[in-house]
Amino acid sequence: MPVIELTIGEHDRKTDPAILKAMHESATGGHTGYSTIPGTDGLRDAVAKRLATMTGVATERNNVVITAGGQAALLAAHMTACDPGDAALYIDPYYATYPGTIRATGAMAVAVTARAERGFQPSLADLEEACEARSLLINSPNNPTGAVYSRTKLQEIAEFTRERDMWLISDEVYDTQVWEGEHVSPRALSGMESRTLVAGSLSKSHAMTGSRIGWLVGPEEAISHAINLATHTNYGLPGFLQDAGEFALQQGPALEDTIAAPFRRRHKAVNAIFSREDLNVVPSVATMYVMVDIRATGMTGIEFAEALLDEHLVAVMPGESFGKAAAGHVRVALTVDDAALEKAALVIAEFYWNCAGGARTAAVSG
Ligand code: PMP
């Protein structure tokens, strides 16, 4: 029996054939030598245009450096913002690479807890308790929790960074996966353009995880430092991949919507199943993930995920792999076809109630 794999944040569809065709034509057309280090003009312009359209903030080619995925953009952002020994804040729960990425720059990674009880939104009080720091890394829409920070919350965070003269590093790789309301980039908030570095990528928005095309966007001077870093690390990304990325962006929001559509549908369906089955789900209106609070079972997320895999061949991520704040939760990636996913959701619900013992009956009758 095959395992239903709901761990990795990767689409069950492959990169669009038209994008692959553009990649092939670029390569056979000769774009196989060293490419321009900050990124091709065409791709940088396409990224600048996308961000300007989405946020209303004027963005030029010189505000953009192309990186090997959003991951390398996160590293470049911290290399740019922090000196060795500086404290760099990040919010827990977090995408698993964050602390290691910060440490790789020589900065000190300091977690600020966003509590489950507050829908995993960081509170100003918790931020203010953190030590003095050079930067704050946020991620909205959020992996793993699916939380989206409201405009008010982002304004509060922006004010916090302005008062302390910090960089705000905004990981927006899920900017096309907001199912209700809008994606707000803190770079668009008043006074924030000069201190915000936005990490983005084509991985999630265009089903191009393996092409490793991302970007860092920010003030021109900061980006010039990130370009120096690019010279001494990748020395530019493959030109044919960048041409394919440019082609992908030229397709505009229509292609992005097509790629997001299955996750929009599945997010609704899985939430409906879990709600009908009385599971405690982290409220969310975004991303390709649903997070379930399994604390009532008395198990850790790791124990729950391991037993679910052993006994029912359904693989989910334990919350603990995203930090202490997500302990006692599991993250379900919506990355298999609808029928298999709905079947897996029912299996998870039944397993949950088996583990939680009589709790459901008590909850219903009491
Ligand atoms: N940030 C977040 C929040 C992510 O979930 C991921 C990938 N899962 C990344 C950044 C990096 O993505 P990539 O390097 O593929 O663009």
Side-chain angles (χ1 to χ4, degrees), residues 215-239:
W215 54 79
L216 186 68
V217 168
E220 196 174 324
E221 198 205 325
I223 294 302
S224 73
H225 293 300
I227 292 172
N228 278 338
L229 177 68
T231 306
H232 298 92
T233 49
N234 288 323
Y235 205 78
L237 277 114

Side-chain angles (χ1 to χ4, degrees), residues 8-10 67-74 94-98 137-144 171-174 199-204 208-215 288-289 322 331:
I8 299 173
E10 187 164 57
T67 58
Q71 178 55 47
L74 291 169
Y94 52 86
Y95 172 50
T97 67
Y98 282 3
L137 169 59
I138 61 169
N139 171 223
S140 171
N142 186 269
N143 176 18
D171 177 347
E172 301 183 23
V173 303
Y174 293 97
S201 126
L202 294 180
S203 289
K204 313 291 175 179
M208 291 181 74
T209 45
S211 292
R212 313 305 304 130
I213 298 175
W215 54 79
M288 61 212 287
Y289 311 108
F322 307 101
R331 188 196 73 175

Side-chain angles (χ1 to χ4, degrees), residues 140-153:
S140 171
N142 186 269
N143 176 18
T145 65
V148 173
Y149 299 174
S150 67
R151 187 176 289 275
T152 315
K153 173 60 66 185

Side-chain angles (χ1 to χ4, degrees), residues 35-66:
S35 188
T36 37
I37 289 168
T40 61
D41 289 353
L43 181 56
R44 291 171 85 198
D45 288 349
V47 170
K49 187 171 158 218
R50 179 176 187 270
L51 263 74
T53 311
M54 284 179 84
T55 63
V57 182
T59 310
E60 307 289 335
R61 184 185 300 168
N62 288 346
N63 299 118
V64 181
V65 59
I66 302 302

